[in-house]
Amino acid sequence: MSDKEKKVKIIWDDIKVFSSKNKNIEISVMETIGFVEAEYDDYILVKDPITINTKTGKKHPEKNPTFYLIPKNLIEKIVDLT
């Protein structure tokens, strides 16, 4: 099986800045399930991703994108689902 056919679940941290003046920062733990399209030194490109915020249970974004690029330095865990 090639990497492009590998289905994965990626747990990663998404950073939100609420105010540049106050520097309010919140870390949202996200879960993305999809297929590895490509892997590079700094990020993973996921095809047909479904991403949810693990705290709120809400999809992000509401409409499914075709691809999602996740920086490796934000990834906590990758689980192979194939």
Side-chain angles (χ1 to χ4, degrees):
M1 177 176 295
S2 73
D3 279 347
K4 285 189 176 185
E5 297 171 349
K6 185 164 74 170
K7 188 173 185 179
V8 295
K9 174 169 59 174
I10 301 174
I11 306 298
W12 58 283
D13 295 329
D14 190 15
I15 300 168
K16 295 189 272 185
V17 177
F18 294 99
S19 167
S20 59
K21 181 179 179 182
N22 296 328
K23 305 284 189 220
N24 294 331
I25 298 172
E26 177 182 311
I27 304 294
S28 298
V29 178
M30 308 300 275
E31 177 183 288
T32 298
I33 296 177
F35 296 90
V36 174
E37 178 68 16
E39 187 168 343
Y40 300 93
D41 290 340
D42 297 331
Y43 60 90
I44 295 176
L45 184 63
V46 181
K47 182 179 180 183
D48 299 328
I50 296 174
T51 300
I52 62 162
N53 179 313
T54 61
K55 182 178 179 181
T56 65
K58 292 183 180 181
K59 285 178 63 173
H60 179 77
E62 289 181 21
K63 183 176 176 186
N64 290 344
T66 304
F67 293 97
Y68 220 98
L69 185 145
I70 303 173
K72 285 186 173 181
N73 61 348
L74 298 180
I75 294 174
E76 295 293 327
K77 180 168 67 168
I78 299 175
V79 177
D80 187 346
L81 299 177
T82 54

